[in-house]
Amino acid sequence: MRETTARYGCPTGPLAVELGRRTGSGLDLALTLVGAYRGMSLLSNALRDPEIMTR
């Protein structure tokens, strides 16, 4: 993951730019998706359980 991030940058940045272009239900769905992913990442790290990312 470090190599990919170093080469292509953080995937959250371009996604945030795209979200800024959305309105209505598309924006709501995108925010739900990003929020869920970030929550899974946080819990996976805090609990040291990578399986959380696959649930």
Side-chain angles (χ1 to χ4, degrees):
M1 179 79 174
R2 293 183 319 186
E3 291 82 15
T4 301
T5 301
R7 185 172 181 178
Y8 300 107
C10 176
T12 306
L15 180 58
V17 171
E18 288 300 318
L19 289 177
R21 298 179 183 161
R22 305 285 181 221
T23 59
S25 64
L27 176 59
D28 293 340
L29 291 171
L31 290 173
T32 299
L33 172 68
V34 171
Y37 179 77
R38 298 293 290 173
M40 288 187 308
S41 296
L42 175 68
L43 288 172
S44 181
N45 181 266
L47 299 174
R48 292 178 173 76
D49 182 4
E51 291 298 315
I52 290 173
M53 297 296 290
T54 60
R55 292 182 184 177

